[in-house]
Amino acid sequence: DTEVTQTPKHLVMGMTNKKSLKCEQHMGHRAMYWYKQKAKKPPELMFVYSYEKLSINESVPSRFSPECPNSSLLNLHLHALQPEDSALYLCASSLPGPGLIGELFFGEGSRLTVL
Amino acid sequence: DQQVKQNSPSLSVQEGRISILNCDYTNSMFDYFLWYKKYPAEGPTFLISISSIKDKNEDGRFTVFLNKSAKHLSLHIVPSQPGDSAVYFCAASAQAPDMRFGAGTRLTVKP
């Protein structure tokens, strides 16, 4: 199994809604990532979990709340979002832990639209 | 502050010819560089990487060159095939697990 699975693929929500994006991998990877990508822009790093601990938080607004319940799962909880938060949210994982770099395996992304 | 830059948003080449995609970076601490390929409606997939201790890495039709003094890397695809048409992202890392991406270059290979 070399897949990173993201659900839902598409999400439309109002500014007062609470929703969650989910990501799952069963490759034994110990680093998991959330990236945000807007049209014609590079993926922007939001959060990184390494061994289920939050290791990088790129000054993301608190309306985005990550959670890593175990080594296979990564969630992104969304609350009181703004229309400018509409984007493709990409989850990725990589094999090594701290101090090592490896290729990222990406999911297909969750396309979020905030009305 | 975009630390990884791909200044050509698009590139078109004829099938069988060489495709050269370029990437510049500003952070001299980057020591690991990767190229990803992205088809529509799919997540990026890893293509090839290079460590800063090397200046070239080759994998089949794909070769990545690294010029540390110029803070520049390039991806060569030869011969180019129509199936190579995709968006190519350059990425760089200074410290695991942080990884930064360029904006991407859309490659179109014409039959």
Side-chain angles (χ1 to χ4, degrees):
Chain A
D1 185 358
T2 57
E3 282 190 349
V4 175
T5 304
Q6 288 188 245
T7 55
K9 287 189 170 30
H10 299 275
L11 178 62
V12 179
M13 59 186 291
M15 290 190 284
T16 58
N17 292 157
K18 278 187 182 182
K19 297 284 184 183
S20 296
L21 305 180
K22 297 184 185 302
C23 176
E24 189 168 0
Q25 56 87 15
H26 296 286
M27 295 178 278
H29 290 177
R30 303 312 301 268
M32 295 187 76
Y33 307 69
W34 280 115
Y35 282 87
K36 172 184 177 181
Q37 187 179 19
K38 302 201 78 148
K40 299 184 180 179
K41 297 286 187 182
E44 294 176 15
L45 185 62
M46 298 176 72
F47 302 104
V48 182
Y49 274 82
S50 183
Y51 289 95
E52 295 99 71
K53 287 185 169 40
L54 184 63
S55 62
I56 295 178
N57 178 343
E58 287 292 303
S59 303
V60 179
S62 59
R63 57 186 184 268
F64 294 92
S65 174
E67 179 197 19
C68 189
N70 59 56
S71 60
S72 300
L73 295 174
L74 183 67
N75 298 322
L76 186 62
H77 302 298
L78 315 170
H79 175 54
L81 294 194
Q82 304 296 311
E84 60 264 29
D85 296 322
S86 299
L88 181 69
Y89 289 83
L90 290 162
C91 174
S93 69
S94 67
L95 180 61
L100 296 173
I101 266 287
E103 63 181 271
L104 299 186
F105 289 76
F106 281 90
E108 293 183 357
S110 293
R111 179 143 324 263
L112 173 67
T113 302
V114 181
L115 302 177
Chain B
D1 176 26
Q2 203 166 325
Q3 300 181 48
V4 180
K5 298 178 184 179
Q6 293 176 257
N7 293 320
S8 299
S10 63
L11 174 68
S12 181
V13 300
Q14 207 66 37
E15 180 178 8
R17 305 296 290 269
I18 185 172
S19 296
I20 300 177
L21 297 101
N22 293 303
C23 177
D24 298 294
Y25 61 94
T26 57
N27 187 344
S28 58
M29 299 300 290
F30 286 145
D31 58 5
Y32 193 71
F33 304 89
L34 307 92
W35 285 93
Y36 287 82
K37 177 178 177 180
K38 185 179 185 306
Y39 292 116
E42 294 183 10
T45 54
F46 170 75
L47 192 57
I48 193 170
S49 63
I50 188 167
S51 160
S52 60
I53 62 173
K54 294 185 172 183
D55 54 19
K56 177 182 173 182
N57 188 26
E58 192 171 352
D59 184 2
R61 296 185 297 113
F62 302 90
T63 303
V64 57
F65 294 92
L66 175 62
N67 182 334
K68 288 187 289 294
S69 60
K71 296 193 180 67
H72 177 83
L73 66 156
S74 61
L75 174 69
H76 292 210
I77 306 173
V78 61
S80 302
Q81 299 173 353
D84 296 328
S85 297
V87 177
Y88 289 78
F89 290 99
C90 171
S93 177
Q95 182 179 2
D98 195 347
M99 192 170 296
R100 306 289 166 151
F101 284 78
T105 296
R106 182 176 300 279
L107 174 66
T108 302
V109 180
K110 297 180 179 177

